[in-house]
Amino acid sequence: MTVTTIDFQWPAGFYNDGIEIGLGTVDKKDFGYLFSEVPATAAGTYTTNQFQAAPTKLTKNTINHNHHLQAVVVNSAIANSCTGVQGEQDAQTEQQLLGEKLGISPDLVGVASTGLIGAPLPMDKIKAGIAQLQPATDDGVTQAVLTTDTHAKKACVQVELDGQTVTIAGFCKGSGMIHPKMATMLGFVTTDAAIDGELLQHTLSTGVDTTFNQITVDGDTSTNDMVVVMANGLAKNAELTSTTDADYAAFAEALHVVLGELAKQIAADGEGATKLVECNVSGAFNDQEGQQVAKAIVGSNLVKAAIFGQDPNWGRIISTIGATDAHVDIDHVSITLNGILMVQDSLAVPFDLDTAVDAMKENQVTIDVTLNSGNATGQAWGCDLTYNYVKINASYHT
């Protein structure tokens, strides 16, 4: 089956809204919702930070109850994290109020927040905001979740399942505190495919491992964040119930395309970033070690700073490889940077410095590494480390 990338559109039966209710100090949308006209099977992955925020815990428990959701209410600017019993009550109030507004059970409502840790939600504004929300087919909610992001991050594909055209559309936010361990940002994926909830959970968890969990901006894992998928079945394909179903592989591939595209957009929009950094590892002992080495390279502050400075210092890459516990043939490692071979058999290869510097001026820098320890691969994405990253995070609270 062919997966086709298309301009962003909501799958059948999904609506949204994004509005400004004054949660932050800037003039922007900061509150919204996403809902399906019918209950949808749902799956989620969640931050592994020990200080998991109230909305994240609530949504996790809600989805785990029976793998169904019909709506999610979201806000930016305030994380509702480390806010104690009051924060938990506030998240439950959001769930209750949106359920009442839509005429559905609160158990079908997820809650997501992002922003400043430690601040309580101004519930008067939240309650007024829920009352203002209207069903729309634009993409306002994709703006309402942004914090230090420079733009909305969206992806959409279509694939044929059981003779029916299925749409999968996702959006996310994320720019700083990006070092996922089961997703560290807010990501929402909607589809009109019919799929069993447990199978959807398996597919999401598998897809996240090689997409969102393979990006890093600054090595910090947030308290709030998650990826949620809702599948409402309105495409009318025969329900997928097993990984052995004829159309399952096509669905899994299409979902993976959306997750991967969103992950790369987050990495490219890292706080202060000027370049997307992609690392492709081959010759790894196993896939886990391939992913480990790739993520270590894109996460190295020395590598990130060199890429910002357009300095082809491959020594920073090879030292990062050696600092991992992955199997490495230390006499036969090769490193290529934007198509320029710099290391072969673990020794320097002559290259033109000016050509290499020019190559690193591109918006994307690709590092290809061969470990010569097996046949497995790994891939990860990150960004450069800039002066502006420090500036943004030195004044995030004040």
Side-chain angles (χ1 to χ4, degrees):
M1 296 292 182
T2 301
V3 177
T4 304
T5 299
I6 63 171
D7 290 339
F8 187 86
Q9 67 179 53
W10 295 111
F14 281 96
Y15 301 89
N16 85 110
D17 198 10
I19 60 177
E20 180 189 354
I21 62 173
L23 296 180
T25 58
V26 295
D27 188 21
K28 65 176 287 293
K29 293 178 179 178
D30 51 20
F31 189 72
Y33 76 159
L34 171 71
F35 74 95
S36 169
E37 62 187 38
V38 297
T41 56
T45 61
Y46 314 91
T47 181
T48 56
N49 192 296
Q50 293 187 71
F51 293 98
Q52 198 173 82
T56 308
K57 288 190 290 187
L58 179 60
T59 300
K60 180 178 180 179
N61 292 337
T62 300
I63 290 177
N64 285 349
H65 176 64
N66 64 2
H67 284 286
H68 277 82
L69 280 184
Q70 194 166 349
V72 180
V73 58
V74 303
N75 74 271
S76 59
I78 300 172
N80 191 14
S81 175
C82 298
T83 47
V85 174
Q86 186 60 54
E88 295 177 356
Q89 293 175 348
D90 289 344
Q92 291 169 0
T93 297
E94 290 183 89
Q95 189 181 50
Q96 182 71 37
L97 290 176
L98 185 59
E100 292 174 358
K101 178 183 178 69
L102 297 176
I104 63 176
S105 169
D107 290 340
L108 291 173
V109 177
V111 183
S113 299
T114 184
L116 184 65
I117 293 172
L121 290 172
M123 290 306 292
D124 55 339
K125 294 182 178 181
I126 296 293
K127 293 174 183 178
I130 289 175
Q132 295 174 45
L133 294 172
Q134 298 295 323
T137 56
D138 61 7
D139 59 359
V141 71
T142 69
Q143 299 284 337
V145 297
L146 306 183
T147 50
T148 55
D149 309 66
T150 63
H151 60 270
K153 302 169 177 68
K154 300 175 287 184
C156 189
V157 303
Q158 286 184 331
V159 64
E160 188 175 295
L161 303 179
D162 187 36
Q164 306 297 319
T165 298
V166 165
T167 302
I168 304 177
F171 68 98
C172 63
K173 63 81 53 182
S175 190
M177 293 190 79
I178 303 297
H179 191 69
K181 295 178 181 179
M182 267 304 133
T184 301
M185 70 290 127
L186 293 181
F188 306 93
V189 179
T190 59
T191 179
D192 45 18
I195 181 171
D196 171 75
E198 294 286 349
L199 182 60
L200 183 61
Q201 182 65 61
H202 165 78
T203 311
L204 174 62
S205 297
T206 301
V208 161
D209 275 344
T210 53
T211 56
F212 286 119
N213 280 356
Q214 285 300 106
I215 60 174
T216 183
V217 169
D218 48 21
D220 285 312
T221 299
S222 180
T223 60
N224 279 59
D225 303 333
M226 58 187 164
V227 177
V228 171
V229 180
M230 297 169 62
N232 66 13
L234 291 183
K236 304 300 184 183
N237 63 290
E239 184 183 28
L240 298 171
T241 60
S242 170
T243 57
T244 61
D245 288 351
D247 286 331
Y248 173 74
F251 174 81
E253 178 187 354
L255 179 60
H256 193 273
V257 169
V258 171
L259 297 176
E261 178 58 30
L262 293 176
K264 285 187 282 186
Q265 289 183 41
I266 287 179
D269 193 35
E271 288 174 340
T274 66
K275 305 177 193 301
L276 172 67
V277 183
E278 178 178 291
C279 182
N280 301 299
V281 173
S282 61
F285 181 73
N286 55 37
D287 287 342
Q288 182 179 1
E289 290 192 4
Q291 290 179 246
Q292 174 194 7
V293 171
K295 194 169 183 180
I297 290 170
V298 300
S300 163
N301 283 339
L302 289 177
V303 173
K304 290 156 64 72
I307 289 172
F308 171 62
Q310 296 154 20
D311 177 13
N313 184 351
W314 58 263
R316 294 181 172 182
I317 299 172
I318 202 165
S319 62
T320 298
I321 297 169
T324 72
D325 58 5
H327 292 79
V328 177
D329 183 343
I330 61 172
D331 294 320
H332 297 96
V333 168
S334 66
I335 299 172
T336 301
L337 192 65
N338 267 13
I340 300 173
L341 181 65
M342 296 185 177
V343 177
Q344 191 168 35
D345 293 331
S346 302
L347 298 174
V349 173
F351 60 87
D352 183 76
L353 181 59
D354 291 338
T355 301
V357 170
D358 286 342
M360 295 180 71
K361 293 178 181 178
E362 300 293 330
N363 292 332
Q364 178 169 333
V365 174
T366 301
I367 302 169
D368 295 303
V369 171
T370 301
L371 302 178
N372 278 304
S373 292
N375 298 314
T377 61
Q379 189 175 46
W381 301 273
C383 60
D384 55 347
L385 178 60
T386 71
Y387 307 128
N388 205 33
Y389 175 84
V390 177
K391 180 179 179 181
I392 290 169
N393 284 284
S395 58
Y396 187 84
H397 182 270
T398 56

